Amino acid sequence: MGDRRFEAITLNTIGDVYDSLGELQQALDYLNQALSIVRAVGDRAGEATILTNIGVIYSDLGEKQQALDYLNQALLLRRAVGDRRGEASTLNNIGAVYNDLGDQQQALDYYNQALLLRRAVGDKGGEAIALNNIGAVYNDLGELQQALDYYNQALSIVRAVGDRSGEATTLNNIGVIYSDLGEKQQALDYYNQALLLRRAVGDKGGEASTLSNIGVLYNFLGEKQQALDYLNQALPILRTVGDKGGEASTLSNIGLVYSSLGEKQQALDYYNQALPLRRAVGDRRGEASTLSNIGLVYSSLGNQQQALDYYNQALPILRTVGDRRGEATTLNNIGLVYNSLGEKQQALNYYNQALPLRRDIGDRNGEANSLYNLAASEYNRGKFATALPHIEAAIEIIEDLRSKIGSQELRTSYFATVQNYYQLYIDLLMRLHQQNPNQGYDAQALHISERARARSLLELLAEANADIRTGVDPELLEQEQNLLQQLNAVEHRRYQLATEGYSDSEINEIKAQSQALLNQLDQLEAQIRINSPRYADLQYPEPLTLGEIQRQVLDEDTLLLQYSLGPYRSYLWAVTKDSITSYELPSEGEINALAQQFHEQLQSPSAPNQDLALQLSEMILSPVASQLGNKRLLVVGDGALQYVPFAALPAPNAPETDNPLGYTPLLVQHEIVTSSSASTVAISRRTLANRSPGSKMLAVLADPVFEENDARFAGVTAR
């Protein structure tokens, strides 16, 4: 009898090993052999354990009803033999199956039963697992604050009992909540804590899950290559550990990145790999998400009917499983389809269904997106006054979300992803100005242009003048110094390789090391900012209004020319100390094309193309020709205009000359100053007001060449 029990234990153990390797059918074979033995010898406790294990495998195979049958048999046996710990474990597993089936209320019932039992028997580790699972259900339901409360209870327990693996899981889960709340810097901090712990305890599957989450976050922030790097680290690990669900999720996320990069066929390839895996493991929520993503690709390719087919497959699944976030996203996407089909009222109906859902679940980024779509839809219908409050609310949300990102680099990347919000806002205000020229809409549009372009630089300037490292934990500063030393060592090694000769693999390895250190340094500096008393008290200057620009930046002899380029039309504001006039210009595409050609021509040793210069001047300067006089010009460019030396442009309406250029350049009659924004001119003046003059006579600004393959070497011969 004892030998047979030992045989059953061994078979069960072998089954567990195959399960951990992802060989689920093999695992089932061994577990079924073990089950026959424990039943034959009357080992009811052992039978309950094996039934539970079989149930979990059927769940992983996507056979949820089979899983419930085995788990319910196990539950009756656990109760019959008085195994309260085992009963709690089985209740937890049943809850997980119901959660996978989208029956969140049933899942909560079972998880709460498990939680009570685990508390009753003093199983702290099990209690933390139950709390995490309950938090996950509330997350799926969009009850993010509830989820966070349960995760924080779990975190306290796992830290108290020294469960580093459980701590890593909980930190990862908290990161997911902060990401969904739009608090991306907070999310990244929790993910990085989780990643270190998961690597320390050797949890490869958990490591991959967190890597994937970090990749998704970087994609949201506009750092596409960073996103792909993390997702491509996760994918082979998930395949190695046999986590089909995680593999499907990561494939889908990689597809999302390629879609946002405009590589739609690549995106479809990844989605079509993910979809059968989602179905194979019974992940209906993930299946619906991938169907919705495929719909988005077809929509962007112009195949709106195909897109609708996929969205309409996804929507009922999302509603069945209670995925309100996914439902809201899909409703929003259906609205986009109807908008592109010209069915504006249908589009509005779907946007208006998505918006309250997004507000209800606290999806602030999604809320901003729905508000933007509503504003764009009303704009396209010519209802500018109706559109205005929608875009104002959207801008308020994204500026709040942006302010919570501690990393300046990531903050800037995120801001770049939402510039279309500002373009719509400016365009809307200028259309209202055309209808109501005396209501100050043009001045408001100029202020929004400043907000769109000046924030990042204003923040950098403010931080440069505040010692935000004062009062920071010395350990953080020491870590920063160590990272800088490592980075210096890597860069020195790169220099040595460049001078001594190197292979592609060597230089690629050095580049990868350098990038990894830069990523760590950026994250650490974000942490230093957040923990700095000086940073917490730092008041960032606001971009200037029209009146402030006129008082603080302009004098009687200066004319501000500020450009804003948009996809359909662009604008120029000409501002003096006591007036503002505005002009509509051609689209961003037209202006950028001409500006880029002019920029390239100036770098060519061949004779300049007079016609090209005259065309560009006509396009961007002739509207304001009568205001130029002999004034100093403060030029704030946009898009490719930021690369155009205005001093070299022809003065509008000036006669042809016999000089080598064939025209009179602006610099003959005007002092020209260029700036990234009018607001940065004001803050720079305040910053420099009390600075002592430099003791040296010469300042040199250069764009140095460090590598032999620099494009600027092309065509240059050694002398």
Side-chain angles (χ1 to χ4, degrees):
M1 185 76 74
D3 288 343
R4 299 223 67 199
R5 276 203 173 94
F6 181 74
E7 181 183 352
I9 291 169
T10 303
L11 289 165
N12 182 68
T13 302
I14 295 172
D16 285 344
V17 172
Y18 277 114
D19 182 19
S20 68
L21 293 171
E23 302 284 348
L24 302 186
Q25 198 55 57
Q26 282 275 60
L28 271 181
D29 291 344
Y30 280 95
L31 290 172
N32 279 315
Q33 291 178 58
L35 184 61
S36 298
I37 294 172
V38 291
R39 281 176 169 165
V41 300
D43 180 1
R44 301 179 77 198
E47 182 181 352
T49 298
I50 294 167
L51 286 166
T52 298
N53 292 342
I54 292 173
V56 169
I57 288 177
Y58 275 117
S59 180
D60 291 342
L61 286 167
E63 300 184 34
K64 303 299 179 180
Q65 194 53 57
Q66 277 275 65
L68 284 176
D69 290 344
Y70 278 93
L71 291 169
N72 281 315
Q73 290 178 58
L75 185 62
L76 292 174
L77 280 172
R78 300 280 204 192
R79 286 171 172 165
V81 300
D83 179 5
R84 301 184 78 197
R85 281 178 180 266
E87 180 184 350
S89 175
T90 304
L91 286 165
N92 180 77
N93 291 330
I94 294 172
V97 175
Y98 278 115
N99 192 48
D100 289 342
L101 289 169
D103 191 340
Q104 271 82 25
Q105 195 51 58
Q106 279 275 59
L108 278 177
D109 289 345
Y110 279 95
Y111 285 150
N112 279 313
Q113 289 179 61
L115 179 62
L116 292 173
L117 268 178
R118 283 174 156 165
R119 283 174 172 163
V121 299
D123 179 3
K124 287 296 194 181
E127 181 183 351
I129 290 171
L131 288 165
N132 262 308
N133 289 337
I134 293 170
V137 175
Y138 279 117
N139 181 28
D140 291 341
L141 290 170
E143 303 283 349
L144 302 185
Q145 196 54 56
Q146 277 274 65
L148 196 56
D149 290 345
Y150 277 94
Y151 288 148
N152 280 320
Q153 289 179 59
L155 187 60
S156 297
I157 292 171
V158 291
R159 283 178 167 164
V161 300
D163 178 4
R164 300 180 76 201
S165 179
E167 182 181 354
T169 298
T170 310
L171 288 166
N172 180 79
N173 292 342
I174 292 173
V176 170
I177 298 296
Y178 277 117
S179 183
D180 288 346
L181 286 168
E183 309 252 359
K184 301 300 179 179
Q185 187 63 57
Q186 279 274 65
L188 189 58
D189 291 344
Y190 277 96
Y191 287 152
N192 282 319
Q193 291 177 63
L195 186 61
L196 289 173
L197 274 174
R198 284 180 149 168
R199 284 173 170 163
V201 300
D203 177 7
K204 301 299 287 182
E207 176 187 348
S209 173
T210 302
L211 286 167
S212 188
N213 288 340
I214 294 173
V216 171
L217 188 147
Y218 275 119
N219 183 49
F220 172 85
L221 293 172
E223 294 286 344
K224 306 300 180 182
Q225 193 53 55
Q226 283 269 65
L228 285 175
D229 288 347
Y230 278 95
L231 291 166
N232 283 317
Q233 286 179 63
L235 190 59
I237 299 174
L238 290 162
R239 285 172 170 162
T240 299
V241 301
D243 182 355
K244 300 292 188 186
E247 180 184 349
S249 177
T250 302
L251 286 166
S252 195
N253 289 332
I254 293 173
L256 199 61
V257 179
Y258 278 116
S259 181
S260 65
L261 286 169
E263 300 185 33
K264 303 300 179 182
Q265 192 54 55
Q266 276 274 65
L268 277 178
D269 290 345
Y270 278 95
Y271 290 147
N272 284 320
Q273 290 178 63
L275 190 58
L277 280 174
R278 299 276 208 191
R279 288 170 170 161
V281 299
D283 179 6
R284 303 212 71 210
R285 183 187 308 276
E287 177 188 350
S289 173
T290 302
L291 287 167
S292 189
N293 288 339
I294 292 172
L296 190 60
V297 171
Y298 279 116
S299 178
S300 66
L301 290 171
N303 193 336
Q304 305 304 339
Q305 192 52 58
Q306 188 87 308
L308 273 179
D309 290 345
Y310 277 94
Y311 289 147
N312 285 321
Q313 289 178 62
L315 194 58
I317 299 174
L318 291 162
R319 285 171 169 161
T320 299
V321 301
D323 184 352
R324 301 171 75 204
R325 178 183 295 273
E327 179 185 352
T329 299
T330 303
L331 287 166
N332 184 78
N333 291 344
I334 293 173
L336 291 172
V337 169
Y338 280 115
N339 184 66
S340 67
L341 291 171
E343 299 186 35
K344 306 300 182 184
Q345 189 56 54
Q346 274 279 62
L348 279 172
N349 291 340
Y350 278 94
Y351 295 151
N352 280 315
Q353 289 179 63
L355 181 60
L357 268 177
R358 284 173 153 174
R359 281 177 171 157
D360 199 33
I361 63 176
D363 179 5
R364 302 204 70 216
N365 185 67
E367 180 184 350
N369 179 248
S370 288
L371 287 164
Y372 170 81
N373 289 333
L374 282 167
S377 189
E378 296 290 12
Y379 172 90
N380 290 331
R381 299 168 76 204
K383 297 192 174 184
F384 305 137
T386 306
L388 189 59
H390 291 313
I391 195 63
E392 286 173 339
I395 292 285
E396 184 178 343
I397 291 170
I398 63 172
E399 291 196 346
D400 179 59
L401 293 177
R402 179 182 177 281
S403 71
K404 294 172 180 174
I405 301 172
S407 163
Q408 180 63 44
E409 183 179 342
L410 294 180
R411 205 184 309 157
T412 302
S413 297
Y414 169 66
F415 207 42
T417 69
V418 291
Q419 284 300 298
N420 56 321
Y421 286 58
Y422 290 89
Q423 288 175 345
L424 176 60
Y425 197 3
I426 290 167
D427 205 11
L428 184 54
L429 288 166
M430 292 304 293
R431 299 303 290 272
L432 285 166
H433 171 67
Q434 292 169 5
Q435 293 179 348
N436 307 278
N438 300 316
Q439 298 298 311
Y441 287 115
D442 55 345
Q444 193 177 346
L446 175 64
H447 177 58
I448 299 307
S449 172
E450 281 292 295
R451 282 168 67 178
R453 71 178 70 242
R455 282 212 183 276
S456 294
L457 188 52
L458 289 177
E459 289 166 356
L460 282 171
L461 290 169
E463 288 180 20
N465 290 291
D467 185 3
I468 61 173
R469 282 165 172 73
T470 301
V472 173
D473 183 350
E475 188 176 329
L476 291 177
L477 299 179
E478 184 179 351
Q479 289 177 37
E480 180 186 37
Q481 190 60 36
N482 288 338
L483 281 174
L484 287 169
Q485 289 172 356
Q486 291 178 56
L487 189 60
N488 285 338
V490 168
E491 290 304 316
H492 180 65
R493 177 60 181 151
R494 192 206 295 239
Y495 171 76
Q496 286 180 318
L497 286 174
T499 55
E500 297 169 1
Y502 55 86
S503 66
D504 288 344
S505 61
E506 285 177 316
I507 201 69
N508 287 335
E509 183 181 349
I510 287 288
K511 286 179 178 177
Q513 290 175 15
S514 178
Q515 188 57 57
L517 288 168
L518 285 169
N519 292 343
Q520 291 178 54
L521 188 61
D522 187 54
Q523 292 160 16
L524 183 63
E525 287 175 346
Q527 199 173 348
I528 288 170
R529 283 189 182 92
I530 290 169
N531 288 279
S532 167
R534 290 282 182 89
Y535 182 75
D537 294 336
L538 189 61
Q539 295 296 312
Y540 291 122
E542 282 292 309
L544 302 184
T545 63
L546 171 63
E548 290 167 335
I549 290 171
Q550 290 172 323
R551 289 191 300 274
Q552 298 178 33
V553 177
L554 302 177
D555 57 29
E556 298 293 343
D557 298 318
T558 303
L559 173 68
L560 167 65
L561 299 179
Q562 182 148 326
Y563 293 86
S564 175
L565 307 189
Y568 305 111
R569 60 193 63 81
S570 303
Y571 298 100
L572 163 61
W573 295 275
V575 184
T576 69
K577 194 161 181 63
D578 53 17
S579 70
I580 177 173
T581 50
S582 55
Y583 306 90
E584 186 174 310
L585 302 178
S587 71
E588 178 179 24
E590 294 177 70
I591 293 175
N592 277 350
L594 209 54
Q596 285 166 1
Q597 290 176 53
F598 180 66
H599 176 69
E600 289 166 6
Q601 172 202 292
L602 291 176
Q603 298 181 68
S604 169
S606 59
N609 184 329
Q610 179 182 342
D611 289 341
L612 187 62
L614 290 169
Q615 285 177 51
L616 183 57
S617 178
E618 175 70 20
M619 184 179 285
I620 65 174
L621 286 174
S622 63
V624 75
S626 63
Q627 293 180 255
L628 297 182
N630 292 312
K631 289 183 178 290
R632 177 190 303 111
L633 304 181
L634 172 57
V635 179
V636 176
D638 191 20
L641 292 181
Q642 295 176 91
Y643 302 102
V644 169
F646 274 70
L649 284 174
N653 305 327
E656 291 186 14
T657 68
D658 57 1
N659 68 36
L661 292 174
Y663 58 78
T664 302
L666 277 178
L667 62 83
V668 172
Q669 291 182 304
H670 304 277
E671 176 189 352
I672 298 173
V673 179
T674 59
S675 178
S676 58
S677 78
S679 300
T680 55
V681 174
I683 193 172
S684 295
R685 284 179 180 172
R686 290 199 296 272
T687 302
L688 298 173
N690 299 315
R691 181 178 293 183
S692 301
S695 58
K696 304 297 182 183
M697 298 300 292
L698 178 67
V700 177
L701 302 179
D703 186 8
V705 173
F706 288 108
E707 297 178 348
E708 292 180 5
N709 61 357
D710 190 290
R712 288 167 291 176
F713 272 134
V716 176
T717 56
R719 292 177 185 268

